[in-house]
Amino acid sequence: MSNLHEAVREKYGAIAAAVTKQSTSAGCCGPHACGCGDPITSNLYSADQTGTLPADAVAASLGCGNPTALVDLQPGQTVLDLGSGGGIDVLLSATRVGPTGKAYGLDMTDEMLALARANQQKAGAANVEFLKGTIESIPLPDQSVDVVISNCVINLSGDKDAVLREAFRVLKPGGRFAVSDVVVRGEVPADVRRNMELWVGCIAGALGETEFADKLRAAGFADVGVEPWRVYQIDDARALLTEAGVDVDRLAPEVEGKFASAFIRATKPAAKSCCGPTCCP
């Protein structure tokens, strides 16, 4: 898995460096990033949301959804963003939990952490902390977080079971898991999947809908839901795949409707009260 971590660090470090140098336009249009204005990364946040954030936080947004829209955050809560990148979802969460709450961002890429901390300073967000580490080994205590969010990052992990176990561990009883990620709908031949990864690395390692749900339940979560909301068609990737020498028309029947951005929600069961003769003091 170390090779995968290094590949991700290299890719997202280059994106962070490009944003820092102001050599990108908007969205994730940096080197090795998702396609500029593509249907995965575009139009995820409202103008009201982006208007309150530093421009570099918006420019470094590499997600496939808006996880802060999936869950009702309350003042005083603690939120953790797995793979926080430039910090857009952390900063949005920090505003909603207020000065009595806390928003953590976890990332393993030094360049992204530097960019996120610069964005935090620009935003004047005192209730934010960015941590260095991997999502397979979260550097926070057990039961210390009310909500775990993530934006198109879990699919990049080589050990998704470990990620979900760690998310479960750090959540308080009754805590919520609310992420955006790309999922695969049905069977996709390996060669087709490799060709689609030419279009956007965001689908690398994407789980099937039922597979994601099964892994959440295996980690201990309840109330699991996987809701595809933006389904991708072959025409979304036609230009890039054609340039890469892929026979798009041959690929089309295997791809149509098979990849989608999804809202994924789950809950850590609340602690059980016990008043029986074997457990009360």
Side-chain angles (χ1 to χ4, degrees), residues 50-275:
T50 58
T52 65
L53 298 173
D56 283 353
V58 179
S61 174
L62 307 170
C64 59
N66 181 351
T68 63
L70 303 182
V71 62
D72 182 22
L73 297 177
Q74 298 294 325
Q77 288 185 323
T78 299
V79 181
L80 168 64
D81 181 15
L82 302 179
S84 48
I88 185 170
D89 295 315
V90 178
L91 296 176
L92 288 172
S93 297
T95 299
R96 293 172 63 187
V97 300
T100 60
K102 181 89 173 191
Y104 288 103
L106 175 63
D107 207 283
M108 66 177 182
T109 305
D110 289 331
E111 294 88 347
M112 275 296 182
L113 287 166
L115 177 62
R117 288 166 180 152
N119 288 330
Q120 175 190 356
Q121 287 189 328
K122 292 174 185 175
N127 60 338
V128 164
E129 184 175 352
F130 289 100
L131 307 170
K132 183 174 182 178
T134 68
I135 61 177
E136 296 88 2
S137 182
I138 299 171
L140 286 174
D142 296 356
Q143 300 185 19
S144 56
V145 172
D146 295 291
V147 180
V148 169
I149 63 174
S150 185
N151 200 346
C152 209
V153 171
I154 294 174
N155 61 38
L156 300 176
S157 172
D159 191 348
K160 298 173 180 63
D161 293 312
V163 175
L164 300 181
R165 287 194 301 267
E166 279 290 274
F168 188 87
R169 177 185 66 80
V170 300
L171 278 170
K172 300 173 184 177
R176 292 166 295 165
F177 177 90
V179 310
S180 297
D181 222 324
V182 172
V183 297
V184 180
R185 313 179 77 199
E187 294 296 323
V188 179
D191 64 324
V192 172
R193 192 172 179 124
R194 284 193 297 271
N195 282 327
M196 289 304 290
E197 287 172 7
L198 292 173
W199 171 36
V200 56
C202 296
I203 70 168
L207 295 172
E209 291 178 76
T210 57
E211 188 181 9
F212 208 135
D214 289 344
K215 286 182 178 296
L216 282 165
R217 294 187 185 100
F221 285 98
D223 304 322
V224 175
V226 179
E227 178 190 349
W229 69 277
R230 182 183 277 182
V231 180
Y232 309 124
Q233 309 300 330
I234 192 62
D235 284 341
D236 295 327
R238 181 174 291 276
L240 192 147
L241 290 173
T242 299
E243 290 174 5
V246 175
D247 184 346
V248 178
D249 291 322
R250 181 192 66 80
L251 199 66
E254 302 284 0
V255 170
E256 295 293 353
K258 291 294 183 69
F259 296 96
S261 288
F263 297 144
I264 301 154
R265 301 177 178 89
T267 303
K268 181 172 180 175
K272 293 181 180 180
S273 59
C274 179
C275 292

